[in-house]
Amino acid sequence: MKELITAERAPAMPQRNSIPEAAVKTEKAPLCLPEWKVAGIFSSHMVLQRERPITIWGWSRHIGAVVTGVWGEETVSAAVDETGRFELVFQPRAASFAPSRMTVASAYGSDTFEDVLSGDVWVVGGQSNAELALEPCLGDTPEIAQTLREDHPFRLFTQTQAYAVECKQFYHEPARDVINPEWRWQRPGPEAAKSFSAIGYYFARLLTEHVPVPVGVVMMCAGGACLRELMPLELAHERGYTEGANMPVGGYYNTLIAPLLGLQFKGQLFFQGESEGIWKEMALAYDGDLAAFVADERQRFGFNFSFYNVQLSSYREECDAHFQHLYWVRSRQLMALEQIPNSYLAVSRDLGSRPEDADFAHSPHKYPLAQRLAALALAGDYGVGGLEAAYSPLPLSAVRRGGEAVVTFRCVNGGLSTLDAAPPAGFSVLDAAGAQIPAQARITASDTVCVQLPEGMDIAEVHFAMTNMAYAAQGNLCGGSGLPAPAFALPLQNG
């Protein structure tokens, strides 16, 4: 096992909004059963995952009581078990824009949910750039700012990092239910939309423009969240982590993810890793940690959902004062693509904050990122468009041939080029001592770049965009679709 990682050695990413003071108390949520309670993830205006059995669960102190559920023309029933939990299982149904009613009732209470849709549910995970609200991003999309309407065919469920941090009693054990009783599914009107994840809102809107299916989006992301805080406690310990930064290890899993176990959904959008960029050893372990996190999450939810990851955006020069090793995280995010089945990677290194933006760490340019995620999801999950066009060019290998490294790519979508029509920039090589040395490069075929190797030096790796420089200086290589190549670090093989 690797050396245990502690909070003091790996502080968290600075936040857009101040985080309430983290608690040091260790009290646990009292385990008491209600008279009657349907799980908080279910409410009016919800979207339930089409074409899968749907479980509606809740709790009652009346063991053995019969609970009946009516959804449209279907009626099901179940008894409250010895733990006080009941589960109603409805049959799979096709996508439908027709609002339906669901009633869940027993002798001790009942709930009726209106405007229930059957469609595709997506979850948004990660840290602050995943949680970043739509409102500060609307300056980039004025046409969308003017059309935030409730009648769009998608629904939103918001959970927030700030409330999770305040709820100290849920830090140390998985919460049984959604921790804020005020959190409910909402139609995407102005108030709900502006406070929702920008990536999630834009993604839902783009998706419903191309597929005739209602969409639901659920936030389970938290600003500043380290991966070890999103993991269950036992997995974090298995990976060698004993302390968190914003809260104990497993804290965000306990507060924002565990209450959703049992929910059916189609896929996850994920933007996380800045916090791991503070410490090089943690950054270098990121691919293994992320692969373990996704595998564990899929096992707990019980299905192999599609995973759409974001390779970290660039940041302005201020980032070096907070997280010096982001480029290593980016390289490991690309490596994780091969370690996580049914996963995809959207490149965002050209979408970071610009000099005129107010915040160096939280870029408001989330619409083009959502476009890239939506294109991948449309191709990967809906068969709309092709992955070749949706993907950035992905590096395959770097092979020494004479005085050059020959780097080959896939998903070039018609051929490699550069964003500014200039020669390829942003390449470097890593020598045996660990020093990065800038290197000249040239495109020699539709899928090939040749990188000049320094004479007389032992070169270990070929790098691209492996710096923390501002977005414009990170490298200009792209594919035929104009999407930028990802940052990468490839071992140099002998030809």
Side-chain angles (χ1 to χ4, degrees):
M1 180 182 289
K2 70 180 116 175
E3 183 182 2
L4 297 179
I5 310 303
T6 65
E8 290 75 15
R9 300 176 65 189
M13 179 182 176
Q15 293 306 292
R16 178 180 178 85
N17 299 309
S18 60
I19 299 174
E21 288 192 18
V24 295
K25 297 180 182 179
T26 59
E27 71 263 27
K28 297 179 180 179
L31 184 59
C32 57
L33 292 171
E35 180 83 2
W36 168 261
K37 178 70 169 66
V38 177
I41 186 58
F42 306 114
S43 75
S44 294
H45 312 302
M46 64 182 164
V47 178
L48 297 175
Q49 181 60 45
R50 63 176 170 139
E51 299 172 352
R52 293 186 196 168
I54 294 298
T55 300
I56 306 296
W57 67 90
W59 303 270
S60 174
R61 65 169 59 103
H62 300 284
I63 309 304
V66 174
V67 180
T68 300
V70 179
W71 183 13
E73 300 299 318
E74 184 179 6
T75 300
V76 298
S77 62
V80 178
D81 68 19
E82 63 277 4
T83 72
R85 181 182 173 99
F86 63 83
E87 294 186 353
L88 300 170
V89 181
F90 290 96
Q91 292 298 310
R93 57 185 64 196
S96 175
F97 291 97
S100 60
R101 172 184 292 175
M102 177 186 291
T103 299
V104 182
S106 77
Y108 304 97
S110 67
D111 287 281
T112 297
F113 307 130
E114 305 285 355
D115 187 35
V116 179
L117 302 180
S118 177
D120 285 340
V121 179
W122 291 79
V123 298
V124 181
Q127 59 182 108
S128 52
N129 272 296
E131 189 183 25
L132 181 67
L134 176 66
E135 186 166 22
C137 302
L138 287 174
D140 268 12
T141 55
E143 69 287 355
I144 288 178
Q146 297 168 10
T147 55
L148 303 178
R149 300 197 313 269
E150 287 195 353
D151 61 353
H152 287 302
F154 56 90
R155 305 285 188 265
L156 311 172
F157 190 96
T158 304
Q159 299 186 107
T160 66
Q161 170 267 348
Y163 191 89
V165 169
E166 291 172 348
C167 290
K168 309 172 185 65
Q169 69 270 32
F170 297 114
Y171 283 9
H172 300 282
E173 286 187 347
R176 180 177 61 202
D177 196 7
V178 171
I179 61 175
N180 187 340
E182 300 300 317
W183 288 341
R184 290 288 184 269
W185 285 91
Q186 296 177 284
R187 288 174 169 269
E191 183 177 355
K194 288 179 181 179
S195 61
F196 195 74
S197 159
I199 292 173
Y201 177 90
Y202 285 137
F203 177 85
R205 187 153 170 165
L206 288 162
L207 213 58
T208 53
E209 289 174 358
H210 292 89
V211 294
V213 176
V215 168
V217 188
V218 178
M219 288 173 60
M220 57 183 197
C221 43
C226 306
L227 201 53
R228 63 191 186 274
E229 297 165 350
L230 293 165
M231 293 175 175
L233 179 65
E234 55 268 36
L235 178 60
H237 284 176
E238 180 183 312
R239 300 299 299 176
Y241 303 112
T242 61
E243 295 184 45
N246 298 303
M247 58 166 55
V249 293
Y252 284 126
Y253 169 80
N254 291 339
T255 53
L256 300 177
I257 299 176
L260 305 184
L261 295 181
L263 181 71
Q264 293 286 319
F265 58 89
K266 192 169 187 67
Q268 178 170 187
L269 313 178
F270 197 73
F271 192 141
Q272 195 277 335
E274 294 99 333
S275 291
E276 281 71 20
I278 297 166
W279 191 28
K280 186 174 180 180
E281 182 176 340
M282 190 177 292
L284 293 175
Y286 189 82
D287 56 320
D289 287 347
L290 183 64
F293 168 76
V294 176
D296 180 88
E297 202 170 51
R298 284 172 169 169
Q299 187 274 327
R300 290 174 187 272
F301 277 100
F303 50 94
N304 182 34
F305 57 83
S306 300
F307 185 72
Y308 291 85
N309 197 18
V310 176
Q311 190 182 57
L312 295 179
S313 297
S314 55
Y315 301 89
R316 295 201 304 256
E317 287 79 357
E318 298 101 302
C319 82
D320 278 336
H322 299 281
F323 24 81
Q324 297 85 8
H325 305 293
L326 290 181
Y327 48 90
W328 288 115
V329 177
R330 291 189 190 101
S331 71
R332 268 43 188 184
Q333 288 174 321
L334 180 62
M335 292 169 62
L337 184 63
E338 302 302 322
Q339 299 176 41
I340 304 173
N342 191 23
S343 70
Y344 306 81
L345 186 69
V347 177
S348 69
R349 62 180 181 80
D350 59 327
L351 301 177
S353 293
R354 301 166 187 167
E356 65 272 17
D357 294 328
D359 187 336
F360 83 92
H362 302 93
S363 167
H365 312 298
K366 293 297 189 283
Y367 184 69
L369 174 56
Q371 288 179 305
R372 294 174 190 181
L373 287 166
L376 285 169
L378 286 166
D381 272 282
Y382 298 94
V384 178
L387 281 175
E388 178 83 2
Y391 253 124
S392 291
L394 299 176
L396 289 170
S397 63
V399 179
R400 182 192 299 272
R401 290 182 186 164
E404 292 184 319
V406 179
V407 184
T408 55
F409 293 80
R410 63 185 176 96
C411 298
V412 296
N413 193 34
L416 296 171
S417 61
T418 59
L419 296 168
D420 55 4
F427 283 89
S428 59
V429 294
L430 190 75
D431 68 14
Q436 277 200 65
I437 304 166
Q440 299 296 313
R442 56 196 177 92
I443 298 171
T444 57
S446 63
D447 63 349
T448 304
V449 172
C450 287
V451 180
Q452 188 70 37
L453 299 175
E455 294 183 9
M457 298 186 69
D458 186 7
I459 301 301
E461 295 180 348
V462 176
H463 290 182
F464 175 71
M466 289 286 285
T467 71
N468 276 345
M469 297 295 289
Y471 75 98
Q474 283 197 317
N476 59 357
L477 189 68
C478 67
S481 61
L483 293 174
F488 62 81
L490 290 178
L492 182 60
Q493 306 169 25
N494 290 321

